[in-house]
Amino acid sequence: MPQAPVVIGVDSSTQSTKALLADAETGRALAVGRAPHRVDGFAGARESDPELWWRALGEAVAAGLKEAGVAASAVTGIAIAGQQHGLVVLDRAGRPLRPALLWNDTRSAPQAAALTEELGGPAAWTARTGSVPVAAVTAAKWRWLYENEPACASAAAGVRLPHDFLTERLAGTAATDPGDASGTGWYATATGAYDPALLELIGLDARLLPEVTATGATRVGSLTVSAAEALGLPAGIAVAAGTGDNMAAAVGLGLGGAGLLDHPVLSLGTSGTVFAATRTRPASPALSGFAATDGAFLPLACTLNCTLAVDRVAALLGLGRDDAEPGGEAVLLPYLDGERTPDLPTAAGLLTGLRHTTTGPQLLGAAYEGAVFTALRALDDLLRVCGLDAAGAAARPLRLIGGGARGRTWVETVRRLSGRPLIVPRATELVALGAAALAAAAVSGADPVATAAAWGTGEGAALDPVARDTAAWERIASVLDRAAPVLS
């Protein structure tokens, strides 16, 4: 009996590569192959060798094929969703000149501040790109490289985002999509193209950049013979442009022009992100005003400190993840890696409100509360940008995704501090599923959001709202507002 067509959606994240094999017609996940990444650096530095991403991709695809028990000949398309913002600089042979600067590398914070002022302040940036530069943004990382490693910047023959690098290895084509491009700081969401004035400001030649395709589902080429040999896949299968991880998660949830608009999402992972697909072009200094990968927009706020920070607090206390209790009087702002939203790149963690009666489980609960509060406060800004009033915003369920969405304490803390109804999608690999929908659409020519919506990947358990813990909310807000000047 002939094998049904299969597509591969790849989630190349900060910590690992996941290659999800899905039935191209139903979206049913057949297997997920995994391979780890290595992140190096200290004192704000976070770097990875892009060649290790390529090696991990091969390992993950091989593991997925083996687990699924399908023939490689059944695979018809592949798409990459990658961690956003990372800076990859290539030589003329397409090899990395140095390790990639990752999104959570905060050394570029001074460059971000300088760029903001040089263009005329936050309003000037949001009017053009939808976003104000922070340490994560690729433009700030290029300026950092230009100032600190000028020989490397001068030798660059290509500048790529992480997903662009992998897509180019697959198809031999230098291409990106509007979604991931909108996180660089040199792409104007107002025009849908690279901004010549911004490129001049940061000293970057447009000829070093990949072409921006119409959507992340655009077929940018076919799998080359050399890539096919490296991955054990058939040469000639469709390669989609791919996108950033947050944009792919939106596709996987069925968010976009052909699906749900103005429905908020909270992702609990290494970082915490809140986002929604909307027709309104975002221009708020409090948010990253990204483009979605399908032609809509994807306003997003990202916090650096989420599950890893809370896990670190649990380890310091010798407690399990679900040993937490509400924080009581204790407030813990778990800014172990600085913070992005609010923009406090040099901040350290802050603990206050200790009493003789404070317990270890309460301290862990305070870490959960601090991380969730930061994300939910950003959500309020997001919903205003989408044009939703308070009543309309509260009535719409909050979709909870990421590794934390599988943790009881994370879910209950979000319920308690938000007071909102929640939906926890059943699918656990939404970034990879979104990438699989891009791959399937590159093969079929269909809309990727409509494809994912038909697959039903965003459906899940609905949780009714509980009474909001306004006392905890106000306590944390008061500490953050008073401590912000010190944390800066």
Side-chain angles (χ1 to χ4, degrees):
M1 182 176 179
Q3 172 73 54
V6 172
V7 289
I8 299 179
V10 177
D11 175 4
S12 180
S13 70
T14 313
Q15 303 293 334
S16 67
T17 293
K18 300 173 186 176
L20 182 144
L21 279 71
D23 185 302
E25 297 175 353
T26 67
R28 182 172 64 90
L30 305 175
V32 180
R34 294 174 171 82
H37 293 171
R38 173 178 167 178
V39 178
D40 298 312
F42 60 93
R46 297 292 185 275
E47 300 183 346
S48 287
D49 180 357
E51 294 291 354
L52 298 182
W53 300 337
W54 177 246
R55 187 181 307 167
L57 176 58
E59 293 171 359
V61 168
L65 286 169
K66 181 178 180 181
E67 180 184 340
V70 301
S73 59
V75 177
T76 59
I78 186 170
I80 306 290
Q83 55 179 304
Q84 287 190 250
H85 304 305
L87 176 65
V88 181
V89 287
L90 304 177
D91 64 17
R92 294 187 182 281
R95 301 293 178 184
L97 287 166
R98 68 174 319 283
L101 299 172
L102 303 185
W103 65 275
N104 54 352
D105 189 313
T106 57
R107 289 175 293 176
S108 50
Q111 287 74 24
L115 286 172
T116 300
E117 292 306 311
E118 288 170 21
L119 192 65
W125 278 94
T126 54
R128 298 173 85 117
T129 70
S131 306
V132 180
V134 292
V137 171
T138 326
K141 298 185 185 305
W142 174 260
R143 172 67 72 86
W144 182 92
L145 187 73
Y146 190 85
E147 293 177 355
N148 291 273
E149 299 179 15
C152 181
S154 297
V159 172
R160 305 287 185 266
L161 295 167
H163 111 262
D164 305 339
F165 169 77
L166 292 170
T167 301
E168 190 169 1
R169 282 288 175 91
L170 294 175
T173 303
T176 192
D177 82 299
D180 214 3
S182 68
T184 59
W186 56 68
Y187 175 92
T189 55
T191 62
Y194 295 135
D195 190 314
L198 296 179
L199 292 172
E200 182 178 359
L201 179 68
I202 64 173
L204 179 58
D205 189 335
R207 291 174 294 183
L208 302 182
L209 300 175
E211 177 186 355
V212 183
T213 60
T215 75
T218 302
R219 180 169 181 163
V220 296
S222 302
L223 193 66
T224 66
V225 172
S226 60
E229 291 175 351
L231 301 182
L233 296 174
I237 66 171
V239 177
T243 192
D245 50 5
N246 290 300
M247 293 78 189
V251 173
L253 287 164
L255 272 58
L260 295 171
L261 290 169
D262 303 321
H263 282 251
V265 178
L266 169 56
S267 175
L268 300 168
T270 303
S271 61
T273 57
V274 290
F275 58 89
T278 183
R279 291 291 191 192
T280 304
R281 191 179 80 85
S284 167
L287 301 172
S288 295
F290 295 140
T293 197
D294 71 330
F297 294 99
L298 196 75
L300 178 148
C302 177
T303 66
L304 289 183
N305 300 276
C306 197
T307 58
L308 285 185
V310 173
D311 283 351
R312 180 58 180 157
V313 173
L316 289 172
L317 295 170
L319 297 174
R321 290 175 176 171
D322 288 325
D323 291 336
E325 299 175 358
E329 293 184 61
V331 173
L332 202 168
L333 302 178
Y335 299 162
L336 307 188
D337 287 308
E339 189 45 82
R340 176 171 164 179
T341 306
D343 186 19
L344 300 168
T346 61
L350 176 68
L351 173 62
T352 187
L354 291 180
R355 301 291 184 184
H356 284 289
T357 54
T358 304
T359 66
Q362 285 178 322
L363 290 182
L364 179 56
Y368 275 100
E369 291 170 353
V372 168
F373 169 89
T374 303
L376 290 177
R377 192 184 236 194
L379 177 64
D380 291 340
D381 291 326
L382 175 94
L383 294 171
R384 281 192 291 271
V385 166
C386 290
L388 297 178
D389 59 26
R396 296 199 171 189
L398 176 62
R399 283 168 168 76
L400 202 60
I401 65 172
R406 307 297 153 184
R408 175 178 58 82
T409 303
W410 279 110
V411 173
E412 291 308 311
T413 304
V414 172
R415 293 181 80 192
R416 181 164 57 86
L417 291 187
S418 72
R420 298 174 62 96
L422 304 183
I423 292 177
V424 183
R426 286 186 291 273
T428 58
E429 301 294 348
L430 286 163
V431 172
L433 277 168
L438 295 178
V443 174
S444 68
D447 183 285
V449 173
T451 297
W455 288 352
T457 53
E459 298 172 358
L463 302 176
D464 292 331
V466 299
R468 190 177 189 187
D469 189 343
T470 55
W473 181 273
E474 292 170 0
R475 183 173 62 251
I476 301 167
S478 175
V479 169
L480 177 56
D481 292 343
R482 287 183 287 117
V486 177
L487 292 171
S488 298

